Amino acid sequence: MTEHYYRYWGKAQKGVDRSGDEYHLLAYHALDVAACGWCLLSENYDFGKRLAKQLQISQQQLQRLFAFLLSIHDLGKFARAFQNLVPHLSEQLTESSSDYLYTERHDSLGFWLVKGADDVIEAFANQAELPAPKVAISATFSCWLQIVMGHHGQPPKVRPKSLPQFFSTNDIAAAASFVKEMLAFWLTPDEVGLLFDKGLRARLQQCSWQLAGLAVLADWQGSNQHFFPYQSRVISLSDYYQQAQKQAAEAIAQAQLVSLAANPFNSIQQLFPFIQTPTPLQQYAVDQALSDSPQLFILEDVTGAGKTEAALTLVHRMLAQGLASGLYVGLPTMATANAMYQRLAACYQALFNPDSRPSLVLSHGARHLSSLFRQSVMLPEQPKDLSYQNQELSASAYCNQWLADSRKKALLANVGVGTLDQALMSVLPARHQ
């Protein structure tokens, strides 16, 4: 008899002295993360509109595709090898078995399962009305999967090992059943077809890092036990998702990612009332035409020419015209970053609507030495859950780092100040770049 997907845990508490349920069902964690992804790509944030335009699909289509993919981001946890990490957790769950060893990360296991298990491939093929071989070899599908399966900060391994090393036949059947449920829950047949659309591949690759970053963020926030307490009691997926949606809206809101309305640009004095007569460079920043496409300005002048004021004037104009949603200032040293942080603290709010509360984050490693920064409020840690291996922290562990370490939010804050190398890190092959 096929084991049901309700018999698999997705999160487990590290200690035995904590209140609440001992574990969180895998199906519910999947919906937690999907709900966070749905929220991130909603009209409340800029991500969905911008990425949908790049992909040349509607924002609603992208939102549903992304939520579906996030709902299967942890499919590798259906492996008996993973379930064995907490043996005999409950009589309601799958039985442990020493025949399966957890020697590969669950993100890679999930990728291999979707690309190599006949039952799972058939679920996609039937819904997309495509031959199973086309589903298995689709490069576009592989790109979509790598975006969400890489939610622990690095891509999954694409060269598969034998699935029976890690999954029982019941595990595969349960995973396939869950995939079918999620396909029906999120997507129309036409939207399933977008997962395999050859014409979408090049555009998807261009967007893949941004989407992967949002997948990581959705997983971190969807793993926050303050908003998503463990649920081991079985209720229907639709009923659970209704409550997950509300919790996701709160979780994403506390991350302070919302784009704020810009203050319309009228003059350079809005930011710098002390400027009576702009320098030629500053006047250039006021008058220079702006492009709708990506643009680079290089401002060079003598000391005292007002380069910083000119640069911030250009930023203000771009914000006001909807060409940007925030600002990051990268300086050569921590000392110069501290000085810039202090300068921006006096004027950055004028970039945005007076009724808004924009975030200003100092991001370098010695930020605690800045007395101005120490006035910032740091959020408390949530309860910890099980980390799987030394090199495979749980999403809750990463989420705690996100909450407690403002450096990780610097490039997502409304205004971030740090060193130049932190911006350059975003294009290096580092974990969670």
Side-chain angles (χ1 to χ4, degrees):
M1 181 178 178
T2 300
E3 292 189 63
H4 201 268
Y5 45 75
Y6 285 126
R7 299 194 63 189
Y8 294 79
W9 63 269
K11 296 284 181 182
Q13 286 183 341
K14 191 172 184 178
V16 295
D17 57 343
R18 300 192 184 280
S19 60
D21 291 359
E22 191 175 2
Y23 61 89
H24 194 42
L25 288 174
L26 176 53
Y28 298 152
H29 171 62
L31 290 177
D32 295 339
V33 177
C36 287
W38 176 271
C39 187
L40 284 168
L41 293 192
S42 70
E43 294 181 353
N44 295 330
Y45 302 91
D46 287 341
F47 309 117
K49 180 180 179 181
R50 184 176 69 248
L51 290 168
K53 182 178 180 181
Q54 289 180 257
L55 288 167
Q56 298 177 23
I57 60 177
S58 73
Q59 183 172 350
Q60 292 72 28
Q61 286 175 320
L62 176 59
Q63 191 178 23
R64 288 193 289 269
L65 285 165
F66 193 57
F68 162 72
L69 288 161
L70 287 173
S71 74
I72 64 168
H73 80 286
D74 264 350
L75 210 63
K77 289 184 178 180
F78 278 101
R80 195 63 54 99
F82 180 87
Q83 295 294 307
N84 284 342
L85 292 176
V86 188
H88 314 300
L89 188 59
S90 167
E91 292 182 358
Q92 306 302 316
L93 301 179
T94 57
E95 293 184 4
S96 300
S97 172
S98 59
D99 294 337
Y100 305 91
L101 299 179
Y102 189 61
T103 57
E104 296 289 347
R105 293 163 57 100
H106 71 275
D107 43 7
S108 294
L109 293 177
F111 183 81
W112 299 342
L113 184 68
V114 177
K115 297 290 285 185
D118 291 341
D119 288 356
V120 179
I121 292 172
E122 184 180 349
F124 283 98
N126 289 341
Q127 197 73 2
E129 300 179 354
L130 289 172
K134 284 192 175 182
V135 169
I137 66 172
S138 170
T140 305
F141 190 33
S142 292
C143 188
W144 280 115
L145 290 174
Q146 289 180 70
I147 285 169
V148 294
M149 298 297 185
H151 58 275
H152 281 282
Q154 61 192 72
K157 297 178 182 178
V158 297
R159 183 173 296 176
K161 293 186 177 180
S162 173
L163 291 178
Q165 286 183 250
F166 309 99
F167 296 87
S168 72
T169 55
N170 285 333
D171 297 339
I172 293 174
S177 177
F178 184 69
V179 168
K180 291 176 185 177
E181 288 276 0
M182 292 297 96
L183 282 167
F185 191 87
W186 293 109
L187 302 176
T188 66
D190 287 343
E191 288 166 344
V192 177
L194 291 173
L195 295 172
F196 310 98
D197 187 344
K198 291 181 180 179
L200 196 63
R201 181 185 174 192
R203 299 192 297 275
L204 180 61
Q205 288 175 322
Q206 292 175 352
C207 298
S208 61
W209 278 30
Q210 294 100 311
L211 285 167
L214 289 170
V216 168
L217 183 55
D219 187 38
W220 286 354
Q221 298 303 311
S223 299
N224 189 333
Q225 292 178 55
H226 287 305
F227 299 100
F228 301 99
Y230 285 179
Q231 170 90 15
S232 59
R233 181 177 60 87
V234 173
I235 60 175
S236 72
L237 294 179
S238 58
D239 286 347
Y240 183 82
Y241 183 69
Q242 291 300 314
Q243 68 185 50
Q245 270 192 310
K246 298 176 183 178
Q247 294 161 329
E250 296 176 9
I252 299 301
Q254 65 84 33
Q256 300 178 341
L257 300 173
V258 66
S259 294
L260 303 179
N263 197 9
F265 177 80
N266 296 317
S267 72
I268 195 172
Q269 283 81 19
Q270 288 172 271
L271 290 179
F272 309 107
F274 57 85
I275 295 179
Q276 299 301 315
T277 302
T279 67
L281 181 65
Q282 293 167 349
Q283 192 61 49
Y284 165 86
V286 172
D287 297 335
Q288 176 63 27
L290 300 177
S291 169
D292 290 336
S293 59
Q295 52 204 306
L296 172 66
F297 295 93
I298 300 176
L299 307 182
E300 291 184 296
D301 210 327
V302 298
T303 301
K307 294 185 287 294
T308 298
E309 291 80 2
L312 290 172
T313 298
L314 284 168
V315 167
H316 190 179
R317 292 181 59 210
M318 285 190 279
L319 289 169
Q321 293 186 32
L323 302 176
S325 58
L327 165 67
Y328 179 80
V329 185
L331 282 303
T333 66
M334 293 181 186
T336 52
N338 288 344
M340 179 59 69
Y341 180 78
Q342 190 162 2
R343 291 181 67 179
L344 280 174
C347 68
Y348 80 101
Q349 294 186 12
L351 293 168
F352 301 95
N353 187 296
D355 296 329
S356 61
R357 297 183 63 186
S359 55
L360 173 64
V361 170
L362 181 62
S363 66
H364 63 69
R367 68 200 187 287
H368 59 283
L369 298 178
S370 166
S371 59
L372 188 62
F373 177 76
R374 287 200 303 272
Q375 299 170 15
S376 300
V377 176
M378 306 303 286
L379 298 176
E381 282 197 358
Q382 59 160 322
K384 295 178 180 178
D385 62 17
L386 177 79
S387 285
Y388 318 125
Q389 293 178 329
N390 289 337
Q391 298 301 316
E392 188 179 2
L393 296 179
S394 68
S396 294
Y398 284 123
C399 184
N400 279 333
Q401 294 175 10
W402 160 269
L403 292 172
D405 188 348
S406 287
R407 287 178 298 171
K408 287 186 166 58
K409 289 193 284 188
L411 296 180
L412 289 173
N414 301 116
V415 180
V417 183
T419 50
L420 185 59
D421 61 299
Q422 291 173 293
L424 296 176
M425 281 292 292
S426 66
V427 295
L428 294 178
R431 180 174 291 180
H432 294 301
Q433 73 272 30

